[in-house]
Amino acid sequence: MHSNSVFRSSLVSLWFRLVSLGIVGLVFAEGLVLAPGKVQGWTFYLTTWEVIFEVMVRVVCAALVGIILGTVFIAVALPFLRYFSASQDRVVQWTTNTGVVLVLFADSRFALTTLIKWSQHGSRFMTALLMLHFLAFVVALCIARARRELLASLDGFLGAKAARAMVVATLAAVIALEVTEFAFAHTGGGVKAAQISQRPKSNVLLISFDALSAEEMSMYGYKLPTTPNLDAFARNSTVFTNFYSVETFTTPSIATMLTGRYPSETRVFQLQGTVQGERTQTLPSLMHDAGYGTGAFLTNPFAHYLVSNPDNGFDILPEPAFQSGALQHLWDWTRPLHQNSGVGSRVAEYIDLESDWNGFRNLPGNLSMRFRPDASFEGARKVVDQLPDGFFLWVHVITPHHPYLPDPEDRGRFLSEAEGRKFAENSELQWVPHYNPDQQAQVDRRRLLYDEFLLSADRGKLSNTSVIVSADHGESFEGGIFRHESPYLTRPTIHIPLIIRTPGQQQARTVAFTADQTALAPTILDLAGQSKPGWMDGQSLAPWLSRESTDAGKGMAFAQFLEKNSIFKPLTHGTVGVIDGQYQFVLDLDTKKGTLRPLNESQIWNADRSAENPAKAQELLKAIYTRFPKLRHEAK
Ligand SMILES: [Zn+2]
């Protein structure tokens, strides 16, 4: 009896020590991860309370993992504790000492690598310093006095009282976080059930492809047959040849598609964020109110998590399994800690978990970007199956977004298969703002791979309903700009397709009228017989669907790149551009200087003809300030 209770107390004492070590070690490491700019980055698009919430989520998760690890180690130590029953104290002490040494070594090493990364020294310097660190540790362990100090350095955390406090605090924090999320998830207004007795007779299907540049599509005149199916679809559709995205990357563009407002109004500037503003209505909530069954399947995590806030207006919005297997299970199991409450940043939590998990497994970080096009359409089909007739469905297909991974049947079509496979995603051509002319040949080869991937995207089957095909932004392989997310707003990064087929349309139409993405939501409402609310910036393009356009020079498209701004402050960084059908003018908000590019040079990031045509430059600058009067005011 007596020896049993001694055993139990040794076990409990060791468990507390190991758990404390786990918590201390991991929370310290998490602190290092949060410190280099991450918290500061959050302040750009999260309120102070949300930043605190996000820090809490990560610290609490680190502590939870510490508890789990401590428990795993106690299971390992258990047989030893039983076997050496005569000297249990020594086993406890020896195990604790090993744990202390491991935690101190791992944390100091991690701190060192983090510091070296901040100082941006070379890899040789890093290797030398890490070896020095290892040696210093071994030496410290060999010198009795240093060893004693080392082993005693974490004693403050290892007492039964401190250990118990840490475990209790972690569990209390978990409960507090869950209660917060739960409370917020249920205070949102929610979408009221539509009070419409009769469902609309027609359906509206919006298909947007991620990073699909109109410049690469055969139907827009590209030299390779990249979009045979869309070409066929366009034969009885209306094709808008001068349609532009409002941003050069996903999240702000998706927010505009959702609201018909410019990024400067939605205040979505970064890759993560939520639509701001006094009203919570969106295109799907308006369609819902008009009696439509609404659903979406969005296979880009940034798009999905932006749209899936509690008041999004979609009846059915399943969360795609962005990365099947263990990561998805982990995400599902820890769901109570990242509910869909609209507090904090769910996509930041997903991306962090994904990068931690994939970093740990040595997998590429962007596996979620590999959702296959057929899987996107299949997911959308399942959503449609659950919707009544008279539906509005939005499918966002991550294809042909980088990394370019064509289906097997498309490989080798434009580029030798061997070369296509050789393009590891971490090539020398990273997300560079612009590349040198001598790299053009490399970029051209990648362009062919993108073109093959585009073929794969093109294969999705379109159902026989009223269909709109577009993209969130473009992709560039010219003029010194590779891929998208570019502040220069060059044409290939924003020139996107817009193809609309109304029910029963038999003939092809071409509309050269210049418009941008803010027109999408008003057009869809117009097709649904609904009037556009006053707060939408764009105008419906539906009138163009019934008459042939000759107004090539008419219309204007605006684009913005505002990533460097906090959403809580006036806009002082980034670029705002306008295209009028002949020229593009891009205003740099930092320098207040603008560049004027004729449309046939607007793919070149540093082209500028404003000295040759100052009147045009002035006219377009005025157009920008007229469209965004707040900008002139805020820029001061
Ligand atoms: Zn995108």
Side-chain angles (χ1 to χ4, degrees):
M1 265 324 253
H2 178 69
S3 92
N4 233 348
S5 81
V6 170
F7 173 76
R8 205 176 308 138
S9 80
S10 305
L11 190 70
V12 169
S13 142
L14 185 59
W15 183 75
F16 269 127
R17 287 171 182 215
L18 291 181
V19 160
S20 308
L21 281 172
I23 294 177
V24 169
L26 287 171
V27 167
F28 177 80
E30 187 59 42
L32 283 173
V33 171
L34 292 174
K38 188 156 217 164
V39 171
Q40 199 199 359
W42 283 335
T43 63
F44 266 56
Y45 59 91
L46 295 178
T47 61
T48 309
W49 280 111
E50 286 181 312
V51 172
I52 293 169
F53 180 84
E54 287 303 323
V55 170
M56 279 281 284
V57 168
R58 280 150 187 84
V59 168
V60 164
C61 283
L64 270 181
V65 174
I67 292 177
I68 293 167
L69 279 183
T71 309
V72 168
F73 279 115
I74 194 82
V76 175
L78 194 68
F80 295 94
L81 211 58
R82 269 224 185 276
Y83 186 76
F84 298 104
S85 56
S87 50
Q88 277 165 354
D89 283 352
R90 275 172 61 195
V91 173
V92 168
Q93 199 51 49
W94 195 87
T95 313
T96 311
N97 287 349
T98 312
V100 168
V101 170
L102 285 176
V103 164
L104 286 176
F105 180 77
D107 271 355
S108 56
R109 190 187 157 95
F110 187 55
L112 196 65
T113 50
T114 310
L115 278 173
I116 299 169
K117 259 183 220 145
W118 288 351
S119 71
Q120 294 183 327
H121 275 89
S123 67
R124 203 179 280 174
F125 180 77
M126 168 97 88
T127 315
L129 221 57
L130 288 181
M131 280 171 69
L132 212 66
H133 170 252
F134 182 75
L135 279 178
F137 230 85
V138 172
V139 170
L141 283 177
C142 291
I143 302 168
R145 210 179 131 188
R147 182 170 61 231
R148 269 200 302 280
E149 272 180 26
L150 199 73
L151 291 177
S153 59
L154 293 180
D155 276 0
F157 299 105
L158 299 179
K161 222 169 153 187
R164 199 165 297 148
M166 275 195 278
V167 172
V168 170
T170 301
L171 298 179
V174 170
I175 294 167
L177 283 180
E178 285 203 29
V179 167
T180 309
E181 292 240 42
F182 190 77
F184 278 93
H186 293 266
T187 52
V191 181
K192 305 272 180 304
Q195 300 292 314
I196 305 276
S197 54
Q198 227 179 355
R199 289 253 172 215
K201 296 252 175 350
S202 70
N203 307 318
V204 181
L205 168 60
L206 168 63
I207 302 172
S208 51
F209 293 92
D210 209 297
L212 172 55
S213 170
E215 314 278 310
E216 300 293 307
M217 301 170 68
S218 37
M219 53 170 293
Y220 279 90
Y222 185 54
K223 60 186 184 217
L224 295 174
T226 47
T227 50
N229 293 302
L230 283 171
D231 296 0
F233 172 70
R235 268 171 229 137
N236 14 38
S237 304
T238 306
V239 176
F240 291 81
T241 52
N242 291 307
F243 192 65
Y244 296 93
S245 66
V246 296
E247 254 285 8
T248 57
F249 63 102
T250 305
T251 319
S253 295
I254 294 287
T256 294
M257 294 169 81
L258 195 64
T259 60
R261 311 189 84 194
Y262 288 103
S264 53
E265 308 306 310
T266 62
R267 309 297 285 185
V268 176
F269 304 155
Q270 285 86 20
L271 201 50
Q272 298 164 17
T274 41
V275 176
Q276 308 287 314
E278 59 286 0
R279 33 117 242 122
T280 50
Q281 271 204 307
T282 55
L283 172 66
S285 68
L286 291 166
M287 293 294 275
H288 177 97
D289 290 351
Y292 282 81
T294 55
F297 195 70
L298 314 168
T299 55
N300 174 330
F302 294 104
H304 175 82
Y305 291 121
L306 174 88
V307 171
S308 70
N309 73 69
D311 296 318
N312 61 69
F314 281 113
D315 300 323
I316 300 171
L317 180 63
E319 184 173 289
F322 291 111
Q323 186 174 322
S324 55
L327 176 68
Q328 192 61 33
H329 291 308
L330 197 59
W331 179 243
D332 289 337
W333 289 335
T334 54
R335 191 165 293 275
L337 279 172
H338 44 78
Q339 294 181 52
N340 196 6
S341 62
V343 187
S345 173
R346 201 162 143 81
V347 65
E349 289 160 21
Y350 179 78
I351 297 298
D352 274 12
L353 185 70
E354 185 194 42
S355 71
D356 279 353
W357 179 258
N358 291 353
F360 182 63
R361 303 274 316 277
N362 218 358
L363 296 168
N366 57 357
L367 282 176
S368 56
M369 292 286 167
R370 296 167 187 234
F371 219 96
R372 304 310 299 173
D374 48 356
S376 298
F377 287 112
E378 182 55 27
R381 200 189 54 75
K382 284 187 186 142
V383 172
V384 168
D385 286 348
Q386 300 170 64
L387 290 173
D389 272 343
F391 63 78
F392 166 58
L393 175 73
W394 180 7
V395 196
H396 184 73
V397 185
I398 184 67
T399 322
H401 190 284
H402 191 272
Y404 312 139
L405 300 164
D407 286 343
E409 55 206 288
D410 298 321
R411 285 196 181 266
R413 200 81 74 115
F414 304 135
L415 181 72
S416 88
E417 249 179 275
E419 195 178 357
R421 292 198 187 281
K422 210 176 59 194
F423 289 146
E425 57 203 64
N426 290 320
S427 64
E428 62 274 45
L429 288 163
Q430 297 268 353
W431 286 99
V432 284
H434 48 86
Y435 59 84
N436 296 323
D438 61 4
Q439 287 175 303
Q440 184 62 50
Q442 288 179 48
V443 175
D444 284 343
R445 310 304 287 172
R446 275 159 187 80
R447 177 180 209 157
L448 296 176
L449 194 63
Y450 170 90
D451 294 338
E452 286 179 354
F453 199 28
L454 183 46
L455 267 179
S456 308
D458 178 70
R459 198 165 301 113
K461 290 194 177 55
L462 306 172
S463 81
N464 57 351
T465 182
S466 173
V467 185
I468 299 141
V469 177
S470 194
D472 59 346
H473 50 79
E475 188 87 331
S476 173
F477 303 90
E478 314 168 55
I481 301 291
F482 179 47
R483 313 211 303 213
H484 53 273
E485 207 171 352
S486 160
Y488 300 104
L489 306 172
T490 56
R491 196 185 65 239
T493 62
I494 55 171
H495 190 196
I496 54 171
L498 178 63
I499 313 158
I500 301 178
R501 178 189 284 175
T502 50
Q505 183 168 347
Q506 294 296 325
Q507 71 203 107
R509 282 176 200 286
T510 306
V511 177
F513 183 75
T514 301
D516 66 44
Q517 233 162 15
T518 57
L520 213 50
T523 304
I524 289 171
L525 285 172
D526 211 345
L527 287 173
Q530 303 298 308
S531 54
K532 135 193 135 93
W535 47 259
M536 280 191 179
D537 291 324
Q539 296 295 331
S540 168
L541 295 173
W544 298 106
L545 299 175
S546 52
R547 63 184 154 108
E548 200 78 19
S549 161
T550 47
D551 296 329
K554 298 242 178 88
M556 276 193 182
F558 294 89
Q560 306 174 327
F561 186 91
L562 304 172
E563 197 182 22
K564 299 276 184 286
N565 294 273
S566 160
I567 66 163
F568 306 108
K569 293 187 176 148
L571 297 170
T572 48
H573 305 294
T575 47
V576 178
V578 59
I579 283 182
D580 74 348
Q582 293 165 316
Y583 282 91
Q584 179 182 38
F585 183 80
V586 178
L587 171 68
D588 185 330
L589 296 179
D590 296 76
T591 62
K592 316 276 187 306
K593 290 206 172 70
T595 47
L596 182 75
R597 309 165 186 150
L599 220 48
N600 63 0
E601 289 179 7
S602 59
Q603 76 278 25
I604 305 167
W605 72 278
N606 55 357
D608 182 18
R609 305 278 179 191
S610 49
E612 293 155 43
N613 197 346
K616 190 74 193 176
Q618 201 53 38
E619 179 199 324
L620 291 180
L621 175 66
K622 208 176 145 205
I624 288 176
Y625 282 137
T626 308
R627 191 77 189 82
F628 309 108
K630 227 173 10 178
L631 259 188
R632 190 202 289 269
H633 184 70
E634 290 192 3
K636 273 183 186 146

